[in-house]
């Protein structure tokens, strides 16, 4: 047992080296009796622009913790601080189960969900085989750079497909709504694999797209060192479920891939939300799936300087704190004017707008930033949650079709060359197309093209934007939309489909041995949440099956 001391404030001029002194003052003990301490949480408090500072939560060990807690409660030396007994719940991996596995487990997709599932299976001696349709990260970087510079789209190696999945060229924000031992264990893995130690305690940890490839490669090397294997350019194209039409035989026996047949009894399906061909295959094979709500919208790009001034006030704190970010919501679902809340999504401070494209003939935006967050632009998704009743029909893939309609229009508007449609916000709100010379943008060398963004989004999103944008702008005293441009569409905020799984076993209820995970399965969104989903499924497999060959 140790103590957790929370709400310790340091001004921007105070170094972290004085934290032990602060702890000693709060606990009213001499500094030299403090045992080991570590930061559990560090967040920036910028609510009061005259008192911007960091707030810490710290774990500290010392003799007689309960006595010191009672003394603190009596004295309240620094009343704003809070002290409590602290015992961090341990991370536990289950003991291997008894059901024999004749083949090693296959993991399909090397995004955060698949990579982390494979790592924890490898760590327990299950020697997983990881199949990835795209190329290794080093080649993938080359393919993405060539595309950005105006080259052709490689449908198997791009911003979404290839080693590390969508996570590799993501912004690398490692925030997660949940917490606990599994989240901590995933962050520890990332930190060990060329991440940075501060991701374990920062409130909004960020790595940046330039650091993620090294993290992904380091995890792959660990998997290989533990007896796992990864095969690139290997796309799963079919499932072998036994005799066709024989319901009792719906047990996985293997997968058909672009590189041949591989026998398998256990398959972790971690395909992300953009493998539309694989979803089609799953439907053909009768894998249970349902439509689900997903996020769709556009992206706004603003001068980073504007965001810095709004968040930090007049002082030029960005040189010390880095580019400022934001997270905003305009609630209107209950007010009737629009049925949908408009919210910012995946905000990238000092970042780039990118062509987040995996399929030829479709255009979709997203955003990312490098670890320094040092461009002059801020960008953020402006999204709503689209529900199946908004899809226009009841088909399982109606959400995907909705994405495709607008992504195809955007591709055509972008002259069939993945130019990014862009519009001045004033023109968008006045419902007139922007004309003339396009405004500056961080978009890649593929260039931008002026357009009428309202034609590139469904009416339900248009309505939410017209209602919500003036509200967000008012909240920022007219600065949210100042010199801002809109780009889009951003159609793939999450998956429009869920691959059904059983809550307890985490396996498909109808296909024995199939374990859908991550964003593409509809159970997670974001790097850490997808990775934790992968970890939990690895635990479920370990608990059920014995490692192959044991
Ligand atoms: C530009 C961008 C920025 C983002 N920024 C952030 C951020 O800052 N923070 C955050 O938390 N989240 C961010 N996200 C979201 C995050 O990247 C995803 O939520 C996460 O990567 C989902 O992980 P996943 O493993 O489920 O799927 P994915 O990462 O999509 O991985 C799926 C993998 O499966 C492979 N695959 C698909 N089909 C097959 C097949 N048939 N056979 C073999 N392999 C296949 C794909 O090639 C891919 O590598 C961002 C996403 C994008 C696109």
């Amino acid at each position: 047992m140790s103590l957790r001391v929370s709400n310790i404030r340091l001004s921007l001029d105070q170094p972290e080296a004085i934290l032990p002194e602060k702890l000693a003052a709060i606990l009213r003990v001499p500094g030299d009796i403090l045992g080991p301490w570590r930061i559990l949480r560090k967040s920036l408090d910028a609510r009061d622009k005259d008192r911007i500072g960091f707030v810490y939560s710290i774990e500290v060990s010392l003799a007689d913790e309960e006595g010191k807690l009672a003394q603190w409660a009596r004295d309240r030396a620094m009343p704003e601080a809070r002290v409590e007994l602290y015992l961090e719940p341990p991370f536990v991996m289950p003991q291997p189960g008894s059901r024999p596995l004749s083949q090693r487990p296959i993991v399909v997709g090397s995004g955060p969900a698949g990579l982390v599932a494979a790592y924890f299976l490898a760590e327990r001696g299950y020697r997983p085989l990881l199949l990835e349709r795209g190329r290794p990260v080093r080649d993938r970087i080359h393919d993405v750079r060539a595309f950005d510079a105006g080259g052709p789209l490689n449908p198997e190696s791009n911003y979404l497909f290839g080693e590390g999945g969508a996570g590799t060229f993501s912004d690398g924000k490692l925030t997660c709504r949940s917490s606990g031992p599994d989240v901590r264990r995933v962050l520890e893995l990332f930190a060990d694999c060329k991440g940075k130690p501060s991701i374990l305690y920062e409130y909004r940890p960020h790595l940046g797209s330039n650091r993620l490839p090294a993290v992904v490669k380091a995890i792959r090397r660990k998997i290989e060192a533990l007896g796992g294997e990864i095969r690139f350019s290997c796309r799963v194209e079919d499932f072998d479920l036994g005799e066709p039409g024989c319901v009792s035989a719906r047990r996985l026996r293997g997968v058909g891939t672009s590189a041949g047949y591989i026998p398998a009894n256990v398959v972790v399906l971690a395909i992300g939300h953009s493998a539309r061909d694989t979803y089609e295959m799953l439907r053909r094979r009768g894998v249970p799936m349902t439509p689900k709500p997903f996020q769709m919208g556009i992206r706004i790009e603003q001068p980073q300087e504007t965001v810095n001034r709004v968040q930090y006030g007049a002082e030029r704190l960005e040189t010390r704190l880095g580019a400022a970010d934001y997270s905003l919501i305009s609630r209107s679902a209950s007010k009737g004017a629009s049925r949908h809340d408009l919210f910012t999504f995946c905000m990238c401070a000092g970042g780039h707008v990118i062509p987040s494209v995996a399929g030829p003939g479709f255009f979709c935006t997203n955003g990312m930033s490098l670890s320094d967050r040092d461009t002059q632009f801020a960008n953020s998704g402006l999204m709503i949650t689209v529900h199946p009743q908004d899809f226009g029909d009841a088909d399982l893939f109606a959400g995907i079709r909705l994405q495709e309609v607008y992504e195809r229009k955007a591709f055509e508007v972008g002259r069939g060359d993945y130019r990014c449609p862009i519009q001045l916000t004033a023109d968008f709100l006045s419902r007139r197309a922007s004309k003339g010379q396009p405004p500056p943008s961080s978009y890649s060398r593929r260039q931008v093209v002026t357009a009428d963004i309202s034609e590139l989004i469904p009416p339900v999103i248009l309505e939410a934007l017209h209602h919500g944008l003036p509200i967000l702008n008012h909240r920022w005293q007219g600065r949210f939309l100042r010199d801002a441009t809109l780009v889009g569409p951003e159609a793939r905020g999450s998956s429009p489909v869920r691959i059904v799984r059983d809550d307890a076993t985490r396996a498909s209820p109808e296909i024995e041995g199939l374990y859908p995970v991550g964003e593409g399965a509809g159970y997670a969104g974001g790097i850490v949440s997808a990775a934790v989903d992968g970890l939990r499924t690895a635990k479920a497999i370990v608990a059920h099956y014995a490692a192959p060959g044991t």
Side-chain angles (χ1 to χ4, degrees), residues 108-114 131-134 140 156 159-167 169-175 234-237 270-273 275 277-278 346 354 356 366-368 517-520 524-528 530:
V108 185
S110 70
L131 306 179
E132 168 55 55
R133 67 191 295 163
R140 189 179 170 201
E156 300 298 327
Y159 275 110
L160 298 175
F161 291 168
E163 186 176 13
F169 294 102
S170 72
D171 192 40
K173 290 181 288 293
L174 299 181
T175 38
C234 184
R235 187 179 56 245
V236 170
E237 297 175 336
I271 55 172
H273 60 35
D277 51 354
T278 312
C346 190
I354 60 161
S356 184
N366 210 310
M368 68 166 189
V517 299
E519 181 139 48
I527 299 167
V528 177

Side-chain angles (χ1 to χ4, degrees), residues 115-126:
L115 204 59
V116 167
Y119 171 78
F120 284 98
L121 287 170
E123 203 194 48
R124 286 297 178 273
Y126 285 68

Side-chain angles (χ1 to χ4, degrees), residues 6 97 440:
S6 319

Side-chain angles (χ1 to χ4, degrees), residues 132-144:
E132 168 55 55
R133 67 191 295 163
R135 304 219 295 161
V137 73
R138 200 187 50 193
D139 302 329
R140 189 179 170 201
I141 290 172
H142 177 78
D143 296 332
V144 166

Side-chain angles (χ1 to χ4, degrees), residues 222-238:
K222 277 191 188 261
I223 293 170
E224 287 168 338
L226 291 163
E229 182 190 341
I230 177 155
R231 288 186 201 163
F232 293 106
S233 301
C234 184
R235 187 179 56 245
V236 170
E237 297 175 336
D238 206 355

